[in-house]
Amino acid sequence: TGEGVSFSGLFVGGQVGYNYQLGNDLVFGLEGDLNWSNESGTTSVVSGASSESISSDLNWFGGVTGHVGYAWDNVMPYLLGGVSVGNNTIKISETCVAPCTSMSTSDSATHMGYTVGLGVAAMLATRLSGFVEVRYADYGSSNYTFTDPSGGGGSITLPASLTDTTVRAGLNFHF
């Protein structure tokens, strides 16, 4: 077990995909997305005359998902699932009162895992649809290597897991 950091923030990105509708209104699709993120979080631990802060910043994330939905007139509820990838930076800072020295160290890692979700899309015009969806992503665990910022030359490698739940809304142009 370790310290958990809760994320909050916004993201913006783009997606490209393809849907195929069968004669019985069942729709199958494949989509790829990539998003820039400012989602971040910090947790702190105070011990005596020093405090340690652990921050985590989700830099970017994306994925490739398969979709299955059912078209009712111009509205389509759907389920999705697939592969997710995300890049994260963890920074550890220690602040203390003399005679010690305050220090910080950080590392970035790319995680890969899975995503699942559900949503609804609606045609707004002949070639324009809008969507709202909720996705849960488990990006798995990656190793982060932190160097000794005091100049001692040592380092430590620690695993960290990354999960995220997002609410997404957007517009799609149909070619």
Side-chain angles (χ1 to χ4, degrees):
T1 59
E3 279 298 313
V5 177
S6 296
F7 285 120
S8 64
L10 299 174
F11 61 91
V12 64
Q15 64 187 26
V16 63
Y18 180 79
N19 286 331
Y20 181 77
Q21 184 172 340
L22 302 176
N24 62 1
D25 295 328
L26 200 56
V27 178
F28 292 94
L30 185 65
E31 176 183 293
D33 67 275
L34 186 59
N35 306 277
W36 169 84
S37 172
N38 80 342
E39 292 182 72
S40 63
T42 302
T43 187
S44 297
V45 177
V46 177
S47 175
S50 69
S51 67
E52 188 173 87
S53 170
I54 302 170
S55 65
S56 186
D57 297 307
L58 184 58
N59 303 310
W60 58 264
F61 64 93
V64 176
T65 56
H67 298 236
V68 63
Y70 188 82
W72 276 302
D73 202 16
N74 68 339
V75 176
M76 181 186 70
Y78 59 90
L79 300 173
L80 64 90
V83 177
S84 63
V85 63
N87 182 270
N88 191 60
T89 300
I90 295 178
K91 180 179 180 181
I92 301 173
S93 300
E94 183 176 0
T95 306
C96 56
V97 178
C100 67
T101 303
S102 297
M103 56 186 106
S104 70
T105 182
S106 66
D107 191 26
S108 295
T110 300
H111 296 247
M112 188 171 205
Y114 70 91
T115 187
V116 293
L118 54 91
V120 63
M123 291 302 296
L124 304 173
T126 303
R127 295 190 172 271
L128 185 68
S129 66
F131 71 93
V132 176
E133 67 184 27
V134 175
R135 282 193 192 185
Y136 170 79
D138 184 332
Y139 296 102
S141 182
S142 283
N143 288 326
Y144 292 79
T145 301
F146 301 102
T147 58
D148 180 359
S150 66
S155 66
I156 185 170
T157 299
L158 300 171
S161 297
L162 180 62
T163 62
D164 195 19
T165 301
T166 57
V167 176
R168 304 160 48 102
L171 297 172
N172 290 316
F173 182 77
H174 299 254
F175 295 97

